[in-house]
Amino acid sequence: EVQLQASGGGLVQAGGSLRLSCAASGFTFDDYAIGWFRQAPGKEREGVSCISNKDGSTYYADSVKGRFTISSDNAKNAVYLQMNSLKPEDTAVYYCAAGRPGILRYGSSWYRVSDYWGQGTLVTVSS
């Protein structure tokens, strides 16, 4: 059974930091790209970041470049999203998703063609 278990969300003040974790199981971790997309109330989903566990290539949305860093720990089958300099507009439910490495070619829409989605974790940034 495929599982993508997201954790690490919470309430933080603007300018603060959070680290999200995605624990993956049920598929060959090294063969997949894993990342995060988010959905804020009343807004479209946005592909935030993704990393290929095959070659380490990454994607970042323009809205988070320079503030967020994605990383992967193949020994733990986990992907992390370090979020710094958080802004109120980062408030959203963040979801973990996984797909074949080719999904990075889709840029901001990579999550739409991913194979698996996990449950979300809520990030709230207060001003």
Side-chain angles (χ1 to χ4, degrees), residues 24-95:
S25 61
F27 58 93
T28 306
F29 187 83
D30 292 357
D31 288 344
Y32 277 74
I34 299 178
W36 301 87
F37 68 95
R38 67 188 180 185
Q39 187 162 27
K43 293 190 177 180
E44 297 279 329
R45 293 188 185 113
E46 179 185 20
V48 174
S49 184
C50 189
I51 184 168
S52 168
N53 290 323
K54 269 231 179 263
D55 62 10
S57 56
T58 58
Y59 164 80
Y60 291 98
D62 287 343
S63 58
V64 306
K65 278 180 184 175
R67 301 188 297 121
F68 291 10
T69 303
I70 194 168
S71 61
S72 180
D73 186 335
N74 289 33
K76 295 184 178 180
N77 280 13
V79 171
Y80 307 99
L81 186 69
Q82 179 66 43
M83 306 187 295
N84 298 329
S85 303
L86 282 161
K87 304 175 182 180
E89 51 264 43
D90 294 317
T91 295
V93 178
Y94 285 70
Y95 298 87

Side-chain angles (χ1 to χ4, degrees), residues 93-121:
V93 178
Y94 285 70
Y95 298 87
C96 185
R100 294 295 180 172
I103 62 175
L104 268 75
R105 297 197 305 268
Y106 290 84
S108 61
S109 297
W110 65 265
Y111 64 94
R112 297 179 185 273
V113 294
S114 60
D115 296 319
Y116 310 115
W117 289 12
Q119 95 291 356
T121 186

